[in-house]
Amino acid sequence: MILHKSEYEKIDRNAPCWCGSGRKYKQCHMAFDDRIRKFEMRGIEVPKKRFIKTPKDIEGIKASAKINMACLDAVGEVIAAGMSTEEINQIVHRVTTEAGAIPAPLNYEGFPKSVCTSINEEVCHGIPDEKIILKDGDIINVDCSTIYNGYFSDSSRMFLIGNVSPEKKRLVEVAKECMEIGIRAVKPWARLGDMGNAVHQHALENGCTVVREIGGHGCGFEFHEDPWVSYVSRPGTGMVMVPGMTFTIEPMVNLGKADIYEDADNGWTIRTMDGKPSAQWEVQLLVTETGTELLSW
Ligand code: MF3
Ligand code: CO
């Protein structure tokens, strides 16, 4: 058996706690670290210590999220048929930079715009363009991510343009319910796979499918940090959810089959293989001692 040193190994009981509370370790996070180490010893995946957020970090993420949500609110006020997705990009860019923040997508691995806009059969990572005009009956996901004082926030919403077919409306509702069920399944010391399975079951019960290849992610110190979050997972598997973890719930729900492909020309936009519509809502949350707290929505 290979024994490796745990990141959660006991430190001096009387030393100040690593969380910055100013209290002694034994009166603060010692029992917490013990609990994580017990999971680790059972071979269960645990978060890296550097991704556990302190109260100060949470304040930083919330300040970033406030700007992120202001972008989505601003888009929501004006989005309508006849508008180009480039106009959405400009709103997000303006609201973000006027608040002294940086749009996280811009130049991220070469992404050319400040927000992702994905219409109908586009699953995610749609690139805003002045030639893409919203039309009556479209459904669109606007996915915003912000960097403020080094802290990352990330959330997305769906918007219905004019008269949307009952089928697409229902898909948008099911995708929202999937996200809400995911949020409710996040419980401290439960497993990520429990959450993903709950999301998946709800989609299947409603005749929809969930994208397998793209999921959620830890978010806070980096745009995409550990863990990778699946919404098609088995219960009792995956990382243990530990208070202080921050990650996204963002299942991509398809009306048809789960299969997707990437646009070969722009290298970004993901679409459903069968051309049927896809919907996604995204929140960023914090695992707390008692449940969850939403950070960005
Ligand atoms: N905002 C997306 C997410 O939820 C990531 C977009 S990456 C980009 O994870 F480069 F396309 F912006
Ligand atoms: Co995300």
Side-chain angles (χ1 to χ4, degrees), residues 94-114:
R94 178 176 47 77
V95 173
T96 306
T97 52
E98 280 178 5
I102 301 165
L106 188 58
N107 301 321
Y108 172 79
E109 292 184 7
F111 192 80
K113 298 285 176 172
S114 297

Side-chain angles (χ1 to χ4, degrees), residues 135-184:
K135 57 180 195 314
D136 190 63
D138 281 346
I139 57 170
I140 179 174
N141 171 274
V142 178
D143 191 342
C144 255
S145 319
T146 299
I147 316 170
Y148 185 62
N149 281 335
Y151 289 104
F152 287 77
S153 53
D154 188 4
S155 55
S156 78
R157 299 178 196 163
M158 293 298 296
F159 297 99
L160 306 179
I161 308 301
N163 282 311
V164 171
S165 70
E167 200 181 38
K168 278 159 118 183
K169 251 190 202 155
R170 178 74 192 127
L171 171 69
V172 172
E173 274 166 27
V174 171
K176 193 170 201 183
E177 290 161 7
C178 282
M179 173 193 72
E180 289 162 351
I181 282 167
I183 295 167
R184 285 202 294 276

